[in-house]
Amino acid sequence: MAPSPLVSLITINYNTLTDTQQLLESVEKLTYKNIEMIVVDNASKVSPGAALTAKFPWIKFIQSDVNLGFAGGNNLGIKASKGDYVFLVNSDTIVFPDFLEPIVAFMESHPDAGMATPKVLYPDGKTLQYAGAIRINPYTGRGRRLGLLEQDHGQYDKNYKTDLGHGAALIIPRRIIDLVGLMPELYFLYYEEHDWCEMVKRAGFSMYYIGDSKILHTESVSTGNDSPLKTYYLTRNRLIFMRRNFSGIPLLSGMLFFFTVSLPWNILKYTAKGKMTLLKAFLRGVGWNLTHLRLALGVCL
């Protein structure tokens, strides 16, 4: 019998020590044993290194002196990893003991699989957060998750190709990383895993949803809802993604839609609600693209 492939689980800690500890406690219960667990701290206010390595001495802990963002932090972990597969998991996820076996078995039996994400559930274990996704629309710069907020009755308990993965739980073979490169760090936060997925698909591989496996995920607690940081990066990176992944008429139409519909609509929305801080963040995101017309088009790692 061939040995089980080594899977490198990588998570980013950024002021989320409690979440990270809960994730690691769930990883300890995995029935798939050929793993390495890498925790990258993205310059938290207080380094969790001593606390984590004391409680979980089996992890590989990496301290970054600066906040490298989602892509940069994960890339740091990838560079230090040794696995045949790299599996990115958010610090605010909980994995089930048997979640890895069906994913690894699928990846091993499907050489065309460049990336895959399991079923993602909200913490109640019943409400779906992800069961695949529709590609990002070149006219709006937005995609759509399948199953979002539906109750899980087993209707998505199957495996199939999909357009986009979920950054909270994303597996990619080492050989694919060697081929296409690391996650683009230009984004810093949001859209980077979607761009990486497009890089993999352009190389001739497919993105899969694995309904045979599932994890629990709490939406981001490190950025908060309705935060200026989130507004800035979602706006900035929506435009970066469009510029890097679309061309010709779709890109021109998408930009026309943004500047004639989305831009005035968001200005009116934030102004009417008195959310001037969010309006400033939104406009800064737009402005970044106007002052970096060439940078976003390159592959920036």
Side-chain angles (χ1 to χ4, degrees), residues 40 42-43 64 66-73 76 185 188:
V40 178
N42 240 348
S64 176
V66 295
N67 186 347
L68 299 172
F70 181 77
L76 193 61
E185 295 181 14
F188 191 78

Side-chain angles (χ1 to χ4, degrees), residues 142 263-275:
R142 294 194 176 106
L263 179 63
W265 166 250
N266 278 281
I267 291 174
L268 289 172
K269 177 183 70 174
Y270 290 129
T271 302
K273 294 181 178 180
K275 297 184 176 181

Side-chain angles (χ1 to χ4, degrees), residues 20 64 82 95 100 138 151 175 198 225 233 244 251 300:
T20 301
S64 176
K82 299 178 180 178
V95 299
L100 263 180
Q151 291 298 293
R175 61 185 176 85
E198 294 301 325
N225 293 319
Y233 279 112
R244 281 169 54 90
L251 177 60
C300 302

Side-chain angles (χ1 to χ4, degrees), residues 84 107 110-113 173-180 205:
D84 302 295
M107 299 299 287
H110 290 76
D112 69 310
R174 171 79 56 185
R175 61 185 176 85
I176 303 297
I177 298 175
D178 292 341
L179 178 66
V180 305
F205 297 91

